Amino acid sequence: MASSSTFRNLDPAKQDRILDEALTEFAAKGYGQASLNALVGRLGIAKGSIFQYFRDKAGLFRLVFDFAVGQVKDHLRAVRGQTQGQDVFRRLEQSLVSGLDLIHDNPRLFRLYLRIVYEGDVPLRGQLLQSIRLFSRDYILELLAEGQARGELRPDLDPALAAFVVDAVLERFLVARSLENMDAGLGLYAAPPAEAARLARELVELLRRGLGAA
Amino acid sequence: MASSSTFRNLDPAKQDRILDEALTEFAAKGYGQASLNALVGRLGIAKGSIFQYFRDKAGLFRLVFDFAVGQVKDHLRAVRGQTQGQDVFRRLEQSLVSGLDLIHDNPRLFRLYLRIVYEGDVPLRGQLLQSIRLFSRDYILELLAEGQARGELRPDLDPALAAFVVDAVLERFLVARSLENMDAGLGLYAAPPAEAARLARELVELLRRGLGAA
Amino acid sequence: MASSSTFRNLDPAKQDRILDEALTEFAAKGYGQASLNALVGRLGIAKGSIFQYFRDKAGLFRLVFDFAVGQVKDHLRAVRGQTQGQDVFRRLEQSLVSGLDLIHDNPRLFRLYLRIVYEGDVPLRGQLLQSIRLFSRDYILELLAEGQARGELRPDLDPALAAFVVDAVLERFLVARSLENMDAGLGLYAAPPAEAARLARELVELLRRGLGAA
Amino acid sequence: MASSSTFRNLDPAKQDRILDEALTEFAAKGYGQASLNALVGRLGIAKGSIFQYFRDKAGLFRLVFDFAVGQVKDHLRAVRGQTQGQDVFRRLEQSLVSGLDLIHDNPRLFRLYLRIVYEGDVPLRGQLLQSIRLFSRDYILELLAEGQARGELRPDLDPALAAFVVDAVLERFLVARSLENMDAGLGLYAAPPAEAARLARELVELLRRGLGAA
DNA sequence: TATGAATGAGACTTCATTCAT
DNA sequence: AATGAATGAAGTCTCATTCAT
C-alpha cells in the first residue's frame, strides 16, 4: 500500500484532485525537478499534508504512476475488446489511432511515461518501466499471435522481432505526437495533426507489406 | 557567441576537458539536475571560472551541446562518405550499425540528446532540437533521394512519409540500445547486445520490403 | 494532576501500555528528540488522544517520569527491607548488585534518568532531578546512619561527604553498566558484564577500607 | 580532514568565532537539538556558509569536538608536566582541582563531553568517546604505574580495577561540578563550590586510604 | 471521548550566482 | 584572469499541536 490510510480516507474528489494536480506537475517537470512546494501552492493545502498522505516525494510519485497507468490500461483494454475479430493490421491501426486520441485528450499520461523512461533518478524506475513495457509487449504479442493463427502474417516471421518492430514503430509514432504537443509550431516530427489519421493508415500499410502474408 | 573570449583563450586541452566533463554531467543528470558544484569539484577549478567562461549554466550547456553535436555530425558524415555508391538499404544498415558503435563507444552523446528531447526546461530546447532533427531528416532524405533516383525505391513512395518512418525506426532502435546501457539486465527493450547486428539487418530488410521497388 | 481524568478513566492495562511505550521512546531518544508521531504509530492510537490525555508533550513526559521512578523506588525499598540488620557495607553491595539486575532487566529506567540529568531542555528538569537525588541521598544517608550507630564506620566520618562519595561511586558504577548496554563491544567502561559481581564486591571492599572502622 | 579548505582559508579569528559559537550551541542543546539556524543567526552569516565550510551538521560537530578536546588535552598535559615527581595522590588531587578550574572557566567543554556520552544519535559517537576515554584511562594508568613503581600503592592492587575506580570517582566529581553550573541553586550534587577544594582533598584522602600502601 | 486531517514553523541541505580580492 | 567566500532562495521532510467531526 503506497498511500497512507489518511489519504484513502479523504473525500474521493479531493484525492482525485491531488493526484491529478500531481500528475500535471510530474508530467511537466519530471520527478527530480517537480516541486512539492509548487504543487501544494496550486492545491492550496499545507505542505505537511503531502507528507502525511504519501510519506515522501517518492510515495506520491508511485501513486501518481499507478493512477496514470490505470487510465492507460483501461483505455487499451477497451480498444482490444472493441476490435475483437478484426484483421490484425486493422486492430493495430485502431490501437494507434485510439492512442493518438488518448494523447490528445490527456497528453500528461504519455508525457509521464516518457519522463520515467528518460530520466535517471526516478524511484523504482526499473520496476515501473517493466510493468509498462511488459503490458505493451504482451498486448502486441497477443494481437500478432491471433493474427498468425489466422494466417494473416508471414509464416516465417520471428514473433519477438516482429513485436519489437511493431512496438517500436507504434511507440515512436506516439512519441512524435506527444512531443508535438510540447513543441507546437516547430514542425519537428512529422505532418500536422490533421494528417495524423492518414499517417497512421500509411504506417500500418507499411507494416502489412513488411510483415503480412503474401 | 556563447563562450567568452576568456574561455576561447584557454589552452585547448583545458577547454576540451571542461566541455567533456560537463558533457558527462549533463548527460548523466539532465540540464536541471546537473550540478555545477559537482562539475567544478571534479574539474578542480574555481566555481567563478565557469561563470566567467560561460556567463551562466545555460551558456555552458549551449556549448556542451555544440561540442556533442559536432562529434555526432563528424561521425555521420564519415559514414555517408564511406558508403557512397552503395544500395540505399545497405547504406541505412551501415548507418545504423555505425550509430550503434558510436553509442557503445560514447554513450553520453546519445544520452545528452535524449535528455534534451524529453526534458522540459532545457534552455533553447526547441532550437537545439531543430538543429538535430533537421540534420537527421536531411541525412535520410538525401539517402532516400539518391536511392529513388537509382530506382531502388517504390516509385509511388511519399518521400516525407518514408523519411519519417525510416527516421523513426532507426532512432527507436538506437534509443533501445542506449537505454539498455542504463537498464542493463532488465531486458526491457529487445534482444541482447550480441544480437544487435542481426537485428539491424532484419530491421532494414523489413524496410526494404516495405519501401523497396518490387 | 498531570493527567486528565480522561486518561485515568482508561482501562488500566491501556494506561500502562501507553506509559510503557512512551517510556521506551523517551529513554531511547531523550525528551527533545522523542517523537509523538512515532509513539502513536507504535501504539496504534490517534494522535489527538495523547493531547487529550496529557495536554502536551511535557505532560506526557511528567507522567512517564513518575511511572519510571515508581518502579525504581519499589525496587530499592524491597532491597532495603530484605537486607535489614546486615552490615552496612554488605547492604551497599546488595544494593549495587540489585541495581545491576534492575538495569539488566529494564535498561530503560536508568536510561531515562540519565536523559534527564544530561539533557538541557527537559521540562521540570530541576524538580524531577531533585526528587530522584534526594531519594538516593536519603537512602544512602539512612544506611550510613544505621551503620554508624552500630559502630561499623569510622567515628570521625563526615556523613555528608561519605554519602556523596558512596552515592558517586555507586552511581558511576551503574552508569558504566548502563552505557555498556549502548556501547556494546567498545569496551569503554570497564570489565565485561560477567565480572560485574566481582567488581561490585571489590568496589565495596574499597569503600570499607576507606570509610569503615579500624 | 573534516573541514573544507574553504573554512581553513578563513581569517583565523573568524574560524575561532564560528567554532566557539558552535561549541556553545552543541554544549547547550546536544547534537540532535542544536540548531544551525540558531547558530548562523547568532553568527550573522548565511546558512549556506556552514555547509560550505563543514559539508553538513556532522562535519561541523566533528570539528567542534576536536576543538574542544584539544583544549582539554592541552590542559591535562600541562598539569602532568607541572606535577612531575610528586606523590601519586598529590598528583591526582592536583589534576582534580585543575579540572575543576577548567570547568569553572569553560563549562562548555565538559558539557559537550557529557552530551556525547549520554546522547544516542551523535555521529561517530563510539569513536569520539573512545578517543576521550582512552586518553583519560591512560592518563590515570600512567600516574598509578609511576606511583606503584615508587611503592606508593598497595602491592596487591589490580591496576585495571584501580584505574576504573579512580577514573570513576574523579569523573563523577567533575560531573557533579559541571551539573551544578546548570542546576545552580538546586544543591543537588554536593557542597557549595567554595568547598570544592576541601572536598577534593578529602576525596583523594579516601582514595589513599583505599589504594595506598600501608 | 476519540479521532485523524490540517497546519505551518522549523529542521537540514543544495544550488546557481555574485563579487571583492 | 582566476579565485573562492558569501549569499539566500528553494528544496524535502518532521514535528507538536489544533479542532471539526
Side-chain angles (χ1 to χ4, degrees):
Chain A
M1 203 63 69
S3 65
S4 72
S5 67
T6 302
F7 181 66
R8 290 192 303 279
N9 288 343
L10 291 180
D11 174 7
K14 186 172 182 180
Q15 289 185 39
D16 267 11
R17 189 167 155 257
I18 291 174
L19 291 179
D20 192 75
E21 202 72 62
L23 170 57
T24 300
E25 181 73 12
F26 281 123
K29 306 190 194 160
Y31 179 78
Q33 294 283 94
S35 161
L36 299 187
N37 277 351
L39 176 60
V40 298
R42 285 203 307 274
L43 284 171
I45 66 174
K47 216 182 299 193
S49 295
I50 288 293
F51 296 90
Q52 197 141 78
Y53 300 156
F54 309 105
R55 213 167 71 92
D56 55 16
K57 193 184 187 181
L60 168 60
F61 181 73
R62 180 62 215 260
L63 231 69
V64 168
F65 175 79
D66 290 341
F67 176 71
V69 165
Q71 297 185 36
V72 175
K73 286 189 175 175
D74 288 351
H75 188 90
L76 277 184
R77 269 193 279 261
V79 174
R80 182 160 50 184
Q82 287 156 13
T83 60
Q84 201 83 38
Q86 301 182 15
D87 164 79
V88 58
F89 293 105
R90 182 93 182 105
R91 294 183 84 183
L92 287 175
E93 185 188 326
Q94 300 267 49
S95 301
L96 187 50
V97 169
S98 170
L100 292 174
D101 286 348
L102 184 62
I103 285 175
H104 179 267
D105 292 344
N106 197 348
R108 301 169 309 158
L109 295 180
F110 205 73
R111 192 94 196 100
L112 182 70
Y113 162 63
L114 293 177
R115 291 297 192 186
I116 300 174
V117 176
Y118 294 104
E119 204 166 332
D121 295 334
V122 178
L124 299 175
R125 183 174 168 280
Q127 181 184 319
L128 299 188
L129 281 183
Q130 241 167 353
S131 86
I132 297 180
R133 307 219 54 115
L134 290 182
F135 181 82
S136 158
R137 188 76 52 88
D138 289 350
Y139 179 85
I140 290 173
L141 269 175
E142 219 171 298
L143 255 55
L144 292 179
E146 293 184 20
Q148 203 158 26
R150 286 203 293 265
E152 294 162 7
L153 295 174
R154 285 167 35 212
D156 61 325
L157 204 61
D158 173 357
L161 174 66
F164 171 72
V165 170
V166 171
D167 191 16
V169 171
L170 263 49
E171 193 204 277
R172 185 57 174 67
F173 194 72
L174 294 174
V175 167
R177 194 58 67 211
S178 171
L179 292 175
E180 253 159 20
N181 277 324
M182 274 179 68
D183 302 321
L186 293 180
L188 292 181
Y189 302 99
E195 294 204 55
R198 185 183 73 86
L199 257 173
R201 261 199 318 281
E202 303 237 29
L203 207 60
V204 173
E205 177 56 26
L206 192 146
L207 286 172
R208 182 197 304 274
R209 210 175 281 133
L211 307 175
Chain B
M1 201 61 71
S3 66
S4 70
S5 66
T6 305
F7 180 67
R8 290 192 305 279
N9 288 339
L10 290 179
D11 172 7
K14 185 172 182 182
Q15 290 185 39
D16 266 13
R17 190 166 154 260
I18 291 174
L19 292 178
D20 191 74
E21 202 71 65
L23 169 57
T24 299
E25 181 73 11
F26 282 122
K29 306 188 194 160
Y31 177 78
Q33 298 278 89
S35 160
L36 298 187
N37 283 345
L39 175 62
V40 297
R42 287 203 306 271
L43 284 171
I45 67 174
K47 212 181 310 190
S49 296
I50 291 291
F51 292 85
Q52 200 131 59
Y53 299 156
F54 309 104
R55 209 168 69 91
D56 56 14
K57 195 184 187 181
L60 168 60
F61 181 75
R62 179 61 215 261
L63 237 67
V64 167
F65 175 79
D66 290 341
F67 176 71
V69 166
Q71 296 184 38
V72 175
K73 287 188 175 175
D74 288 351
H75 187 89
L76 278 184
R77 270 194 279 261
V79 173
R80 182 159 52 183
Q82 286 156 15
T83 60
Q84 201 84 40
Q86 300 182 13
D87 164 79
V88 59
F89 293 106
R90 182 95 183 103
R91 295 183 84 182
L92 287 175
E93 185 189 325
Q94 300 267 50
S95 301
L96 186 49
V97 169
S98 171
L100 291 174
D101 287 347
L102 184 62
I103 284 175
H104 179 268
D105 293 344
N106 197 349
R108 301 170 309 158
L109 295 179
F110 205 72
R111 191 97 194 98
L112 182 71
Y113 161 63
L114 292 177
R115 292 293 193 188
I116 300 172
V117 175
Y118 295 104
E119 202 165 335
D121 298 333
V122 179
L124 299 175
R125 183 174 167 281
Q127 183 185 321
L128 299 187
L129 282 183
Q130 240 167 354
S131 87
I132 296 179
R133 306 221 54 118
L134 291 183
F135 181 81
S136 161
R137 188 75 51 86
D138 288 351
Y139 179 85
I140 289 173
L141 270 175
E142 220 171 298
L143 254 56
L144 291 178
E146 292 185 21
Q148 202 159 27
R150 286 204 293 267
E152 294 161 9
L153 294 174
R154 283 166 40 210
D156 61 326
L157 204 60
D158 172 358
L161 173 67
F164 171 71
V165 170
V166 171
D167 190 16
V169 171
L170 297 193
E171 194 204 275
R172 186 55 177 66
F173 194 73
L174 294 175
V175 167
R177 195 58 65 212
S178 172
L179 292 176
E180 254 159 21
N181 277 325
M182 273 178 68
D183 300 321
L186 292 181
L188 293 182
Y189 303 101
E195 294 205 55
R198 183 182 76 87
L199 257 175
R201 261 199 320 280
E202 303 237 29
L203 209 60
V204 173
E205 176 56 26
L206 194 145
L207 286 174
R208 182 198 304 276
R209 208 175 284 133
L211 308 175
Chain C
M1 202 62 68
S3 65
S4 70
S5 68
T6 305
F7 180 66
R8 289 192 306 280
N9 287 340
L10 290 180
D11 172 8
K14 185 172 182 183
Q15 290 185 38
D16 265 15
R17 189 163 156 261
I18 291 174
L19 292 179
D20 191 74
E21 202 71 63
L23 169 57
T24 300
E25 181 72 12
F26 282 122
K29 306 188 193 161
Y31 177 78
Q33 297 280 91
S35 160
L36 299 187
N37 283 345
L39 175 62
V40 298
R42 287 203 306 272
L43 284 172
I45 67 173
K47 215 182 305 190
S49 297
I50 292 291
F51 291 86
Q52 200 133 57
Y53 299 156
F54 310 104
R55 210 168 68 93
D56 55 15
K57 193 183 187 181
L60 168 60
F61 181 75
R62 178 61 214 263
L63 235 67
V64 167
F65 175 79
D66 290 341
F67 176 71
V69 166
Q71 297 184 38
V72 174
K73 286 188 176 174
D74 287 351
H75 187 90
L76 278 183
R77 269 193 280 261
V79 174
R80 181 161 49 183
Q82 286 156 14
T83 60
Q84 202 81 40
Q86 300 183 15
D87 165 77
V88 59
F89 293 106
R90 182 94 182 103
R91 295 182 86 183
L92 287 176
E93 186 188 325
Q94 300 268 48
S95 302
L96 187 49
V97 169
S98 171
L100 291 175
D101 286 348
L102 185 60
I103 285 176
H104 179 267
D105 292 345
N106 196 349
R108 301 169 310 158
L109 295 179
F110 205 73
R111 192 96 194 99
L112 182 71
Y113 161 63
L114 292 178
R115 292 293 193 187
I116 300 173
V117 176
Y118 294 105
E119 203 166 332
D121 297 333
V122 178
L124 300 174
R125 183 174 168 281
Q127 182 186 322
L128 300 188
L129 281 182
Q130 237 165 357
S131 85
I132 297 179
R133 306 222 54 117
L134 291 183
F135 180 82
S136 160
R137 188 75 51 87
D138 289 349
Y139 179 86
I140 290 174
L141 270 176
E142 220 170 299
L143 254 57
L144 291 179
E146 293 185 21
Q148 202 157 28
R150 286 204 294 266
E152 293 161 8
L153 294 174
R154 283 167 38 213
D156 62 325
L157 204 59
D158 171 358
L161 173 66
F164 171 72
V165 170
V166 171
D167 190 17
V169 171
L170 264 49
E171 194 204 274
R172 184 57 175 66
F173 194 72
L174 294 175
V175 167
R177 196 56 68 209
S178 172
L179 291 176
E180 253 159 21
N181 276 327
M182 273 179 67
D183 302 320
L186 292 180
L188 291 182
Y189 304 98
E195 294 204 54
R198 184 182 75 86
L199 258 173
R201 262 199 319 280
E202 303 236 28
L203 209 61
V204 173
E205 177 56 27
L206 194 146
L207 286 173
R208 181 198 304 274
R209 210 176 282 132
L211 308 174
Chain D
M1 201 64 71
S3 66
S4 72
S5 66
T6 302
F7 181 67
R8 291 192 303 278
N9 288 342
L10 292 180
D11 173 6
K14 186 172 183 180
Q15 290 185 39
D16 267 11
R17 190 166 154 259
I18 290 174
L19 290 179
D20 192 74
E21 202 72 63
L23 170 57
T24 299
E25 180 73 12
F26 282 122
K29 306 191 194 160
Y31 179 77
Q33 294 281 95
S35 160
L36 300 187
N37 277 351
L39 176 61
V40 298
R42 286 203 306 274
L43 284 172
I45 66 175
K47 214 183 300 193
S49 295
I50 290 292
F51 295 88
Q52 196 139 79
Y53 300 156
F54 309 105
R55 214 168 71 90
D56 54 16
K57 194 184 187 181
L60 168 59
F61 180 75
R62 179 62 214 259
L63 231 70
V64 168
F65 174 81
D66 289 342
F67 176 71
V69 166
Q71 298 185 37
V72 175
K73 286 189 176 174
D74 288 351
H75 188 90
L76 277 184
R77 270 194 279 261
V79 173
R80 182 161 50 184
Q82 286 156 15
T83 60
Q84 202 82 40
Q86 301 182 15
D87 165 79
V88 59
F89 293 105
R90 181 96 182 101
R91 294 182 84 183
L92 287 175
E93 185 188 326
Q94 300 267 51
S95 301
L96 187 49
V97 169
S98 170
L100 292 174
D101 287 347
L102 184 62
I103 285 175
H104 180 266
D105 292 344
N106 197 348
R108 301 168 311 157
L109 295 180
F110 205 73
R111 191 96 194 98
L112 182 71
Y113 161 65
L114 292 178
R115 291 295 193 186
I116 299 174
V117 176
Y118 294 104
E119 203 166 335
D121 295 335
V122 179
L124 298 174
R125 182 174 168 280
Q127 182 184 320
L128 300 187
L129 281 183
Q130 239 166 356
S131 86
I132 295 179
R133 305 219 56 112
L134 290 183
F135 182 81
S136 160
R137 188 76 50 87
D138 287 350
Y139 179 85
I140 290 174
L141 269 175
E142 220 170 297
L143 254 56
L144 291 179
E146 293 185 21
Q148 202 158 28
R150 285 202 295 265
E152 294 162 8
L153 294 175
R154 284 166 37 210
D156 62 325
L157 205 60
D158 172 358
L161 175 67
F164 171 71
V165 170
V166 171
D167 191 15
V169 170
L170 296 193
E171 194 205 275
R172 185 58 177 65
F173 194 72
L174 294 174
V175 167
R177 195 56 68 211
S178 171
L179 292 176
E180 254 159 21
N181 277 323
M182 271 178 71
D183 302 320
L186 293 181
L188 293 182
Y189 302 99
E195 295 204 55
R198 182 182 74 87
L199 258 174
R201 260 200 319 281
E202 302 239 29
L203 208 60
V204 174
E205 177 55 27
L206 192 147
L207 285 173
R208 180 198 306 275
R209 210 174 286 133
L211 307 175

